[in-house]
Amino acid sequence: QVQLVESGGGLVQAGGSLRLSCTASGRTFSGSAMGWFRQAPGKERGHVAVLDWSGGNTYYADSVKGRFTISRDNAKNTVYLQMNSLKPEDTAVYYCAASTRPISTTTLTDYAYWGQGTQVTVSS
């Protein structure tokens, strides 16, 4: 059974930092694109950051460019999201996702596997 388990969410003040982790089990994703998506209350789920199988190509939402960094450790089957200079508008449930393809996209339906999500709340 494939599982993606996120951790690292929580409550932080504006300007603070959090590091999210997502560890996969049940299969290896070293040859797959992975990414982070988020969903705020009343809004659709959207992409935050994605990267391809090698970690060499990354794509960020405009709202997080320069503040968030996505990375992966294929040996640990884990993807990370370092979030700095957090803003109240970053408050959302953050989801890890894994594709069956090596090249990353920002399209949710291209990702076959999803974690349960971790809450990130940024207070003003």
Side-chain angles (χ1 to χ4, degrees):
Q1 182 181 0
V2 176
Q3 283 191 314
L4 301 179
V5 179
E6 302 101 335
S7 61
L11 173 64
V12 64
Q13 289 188 332
S17 298
L18 284 174
R19 188 193 194 206
L20 304 184
S21 298
C22 170
T23 300
S25 61
R27 62 162 283 178
T28 178
F29 288 102
S30 60
S32 300
M34 298 186 74
W36 289 93
F37 297 77
R38 69 185 180 186
Q39 187 168 18
K43 294 187 177 181
E44 293 186 350
R45 191 176 302 186
H47 121 271
V48 176
V50 296
L51 78 174
D52 69 11
W53 69 276
S54 69
N57 292 303
T58 56
Y59 299 94
Y60 295 93
D62 288 343
S63 59
V64 307
K65 282 181 181 177
R67 300 187 298 122
F68 290 11
T69 303
I70 187 172
S71 61
R72 66 189 297 164
D73 184 337
N74 285 339
K76 296 182 178 180
N77 226 16
T78 298
V79 63
Y80 305 96
L81 185 68
Q82 177 66 43
M83 305 186 294
N84 298 329
S85 302
L86 283 160
K87 304 176 181 180
E89 51 263 44
D90 293 319
T91 295
V93 178
Y94 284 70
Y95 297 90
C96 170
S99 174
T100 56
R101 304 172 182 176
I103 304 302
S104 58
T105 75
T106 61
T107 304
L108 273 68
T109 53
D110 287 342
Y111 293 82
Y113 303 96
W114 292 84
Q116 293 296 311
T118 185
Q119 177 70 46
V120 171
T121 303
V122 184
S123 63
S124 56

